[in-house]
Amino acid sequence: MSAMIGVLVHDRHQGSFHRAARSSSGTDLRWSTYREPSQAPERLRDLVSDTTPDGLLVDQHAAGALRGQLPESLPLNIVAPTATELAMAIARMRARFPERHLASVDGFGQDELREVTDPLELAATAAPHPREASLEQIVEHHRKTLRDGGVAITSHPGAGEVLANDGPVVQIDLSPATIRAGLNELRLRADAARAEGMRFAAGVFQVRNGHDVESARAGMREILLRDDTLSGAWVEKHGRRGLVVFAHRALLERNTDGWQVVPALEDARIQLDIRAAAGFGIGASVTAGISLAERAVVRAEAEEHPCAFLVQDSGTIIGPIGGGYRRSRYTYRDHGAAVERLATEVGLSPTTLSRLAALEQEVHGRALTPSELAALLGITDPSGRRLIRKLQAADLVSAEGSAHSARRGRPTRLYRLRLTDTLGPLT
């Protein structure tokens, strides 16, 4: 089965990528190009809008523009010029401008640069922040060298155009061999990720004591069977008050949005007025997966709020996983200036603000305790309390009385999220 690979590159490099792909088998490529790095996020959304590829191949400038926006679970390979391509660019420089003996180079760190330029006896300087420099920083670095009578050697596809009238410029080109190596490595990683996704997994959902167990379990079963993302899973009764879901790992990981939320728990609370817990297990066999899921659900039931845990046979434990909705249920089409500005003022990332605004709509404005907020976001209780304090200082939450816990201790304060009052509703 071919791996579907998304390719996102500057249109200057498209020809080299096509030549490299012609001699690489076992891949089905989906192409997208950009002219300016700022266009890369939109092109990425186009690539993953219909079907998520098995892997993503990007050039280094697209990767810089996409920092923080790439799906963590998606195998990624960043294609960047190698020392060989730099040496070839230096050879072209000496052939075209033999009288010049000074160069400025971007895309390489100073140590990487010296490994190539010292043996070639070339005086060269590297641009600052080689993997993160903006076009403006790169151009300014090269202009200083050009004013001193040197040559600009650039890997940035836009720098050559900007510097065309300032002095001699040599472009570092990606070779088909470098691209092909990156593509083949990515295909192997994508194949390994798919194989891991086909491992057996189990999920145990358990209604709390005190309910009409049979009625609650039947309602929970209907919720699971109606969930489109669980299509293909097998749901059976498990124990006196539970259900077990059999599926491949990839299916349960997609249902939980990468082990971040368990929508069925929130649906059970809203639709059935019951509290439930869930546990997931990933093991080498059916028996091992169920055993691990049973351990996980016991741990989840010890928590105050509906949540889940994942236990893997490697010993990894993930949780608590909140009982909210998937992140894609509500979203801002673009972070936009308003979200960016508010994030800076509050001291949070735009992504965190977007998730909080989505959560506000998912819970229909219901007041939450700091612990419940933490569970729904998949963070620790102390992190949830710190988050509340930041939001309170920015008037993005309002205090709404207190809730009495079944545990001993003082009542817990309740807070209502108010982000959409400032940012507007999500779509």
Side-chain angles (χ1 to χ4, degrees), residues 288-311:
I290 294 175
S291 176
L292 292 169
E294 289 172 338
R295 284 174 50 194
V297 78
V298 168
R299 184 162 181 171
E301 285 198 299
E303 297 292 319
E304 181 178 355
H305 303 288
C307 67
F309 278 83
L310 164 69
V311 179

Side-chain angles (χ1 to χ4, degrees), residues 67 83 98 164 275 282 318 325 327 339 367 413:
R67 187 170 288 104
R275 294 179 64 196
I282 300 174
I318 297 176
Y325 288 111
R327 286 173 293 173
V339 177
R413 296 295 301 271

Side-chain angles (χ1 to χ4, degrees), residues 34-358:
Y34 65 92
R35 183 62 182 164
E36 301 292 338
S38 60
Q39 298 171 338
E42 181 180 353
R43 300 294 186 265
L44 174 66
R45 288 192 290 269
D46 292 341
L47 275 177
V48 302
S49 59
D50 298 326
T51 304
T52 302
D54 298 310
L56 187 64
L57 188 72
V58 302
D59 61 33
Q60 62 179 346
H61 302 293
L66 294 170
R67 187 170 288 104
Q69 301 181 51
L70 293 164
E72 294 181 6
S73 60
L74 187 63
L76 170 71
N77 210 350
I78 300 171
V79 179
T82 65
T84 299
E85 278 122 353
L86 175 57
M88 292 172 64
I90 293 173
R92 291 198 301 275
M93 166 194 160
R94 285 182 162 162
R96 293 167 55 190
F97 313 105
E99 74 285 359
R100 299 182 182 249
H101 305 286
L102 174 66
S104 55
V105 180
D106 61 65
F108 292 84
Q110 189 65 44
D111 291 339
E112 298 173 289
L113 182 60
R114 292 189 61 181
E115 288 179 3
V116 177
T117 57
D118 283 359
L120 297 176
E121 298 181 348
L122 175 68
T125 59
H129 315 297
R131 303 291 184 259
E132 302 177 6
S134 66
L135 176 59
E136 291 75 16
Q137 291 173 313
I138 290 172
V139 167
E140 180 57 32
H141 171 74
H142 287 308
R143 279 180 173 156
K144 181 179 179 181
T145 299
L146 294 174
R147 287 193 295 269
D148 293 338
V151 177
I153 300 178
T154 179
S155 64
H156 195 291
E161 297 178 8
V162 177
L163 295 167
N165 297 322
D166 290 80
V169 178
V170 174
Q171 196 78 38
I172 303 175
D173 293 319
L174 289 169
S175 70
T178 295
I179 298 168
R180 190 160 47 249
L183 182 59
N184 289 337
E185 179 193 345
L186 180 60
R187 179 179 59 80
L188 292 174
R189 289 169 54 202
D191 288 344
R194 283 193 301 178
E196 178 66 19
M198 293 303 289
R199 291 187 68 198
F200 179 80
V204 172
F205 290 80
Q206 208 142 270
V207 298
R208 300 288 181 104
N209 281 319
H211 298 300
D212 179 344
V213 172
E214 280 304 318
S215 176
R217 180 161 62 177
M220 175 64 76
R221 186 173 188 273
E222 284 300 311
I223 287 173
L224 295 173
L225 292 176
R226 288 198 307 266
D227 191 331
D228 292 339
T229 65
L230 289 175
S231 177
W234 192 263
V235 182
E236 293 282 355
K237 290 184 177 181
H238 185 72
R240 186 181 66 83
R241 53 191 176 90
L243 296 162
V244 62
V245 178
F246 302 97
H248 292 128
R249 170 182 178 151
L251 189 150
L252 289 181
E253 193 164 2
R254 183 170 65 250
N255 173 259
T256 59
D257 199 13
W259 313 113
Q260 295 191 76
V261 291
V262 186
L265 298 181
E266 184 72 359
D267 288 336
R269 186 191 66 79
I270 294 174
Q271 299 175 25
L272 307 176
D273 194 26
I274 64 171
R275 294 179 64 196
F280 300 99
I282 300 174
S285 65
V286 173
T287 302
I290 294 175
S291 176
L292 292 169
E294 289 172 338
R295 284 174 50 194
V297 78
V298 168
R299 184 162 181 171
E301 285 198 299
E303 297 292 319
E304 181 178 355
H305 303 288
C307 67
F309 278 83
L310 164 69
V311 179
Q312 303 183 55
D313 53 7
S314 63
T316 300
I317 299 175
I318 297 176
I321 306 169
Y325 288 111
R326 300 178 190 90
R327 286 173 293 173
S328 58
R329 183 177 176 90
Y330 297 105
T331 183
Y332 286 110
R333 193 170 299 277
D334 195 341
H335 279 157
V339 177
E340 298 279 356
R341 184 169 55 253
L342 185 60
T344 301
E345 294 172 359
V346 179
L348 298 171
S349 70
T351 301
T352 298
L353 281 188
S354 292
R355 288 188 66 192
L356 286 165

Side-chain angles (χ1 to χ4, degrees), residues 375-386:
L376 289 169
L377 292 174
I379 60 179
T380 63
D381 277 11
S383 296
R385 290 191 291 271
R386 286 193 298 270

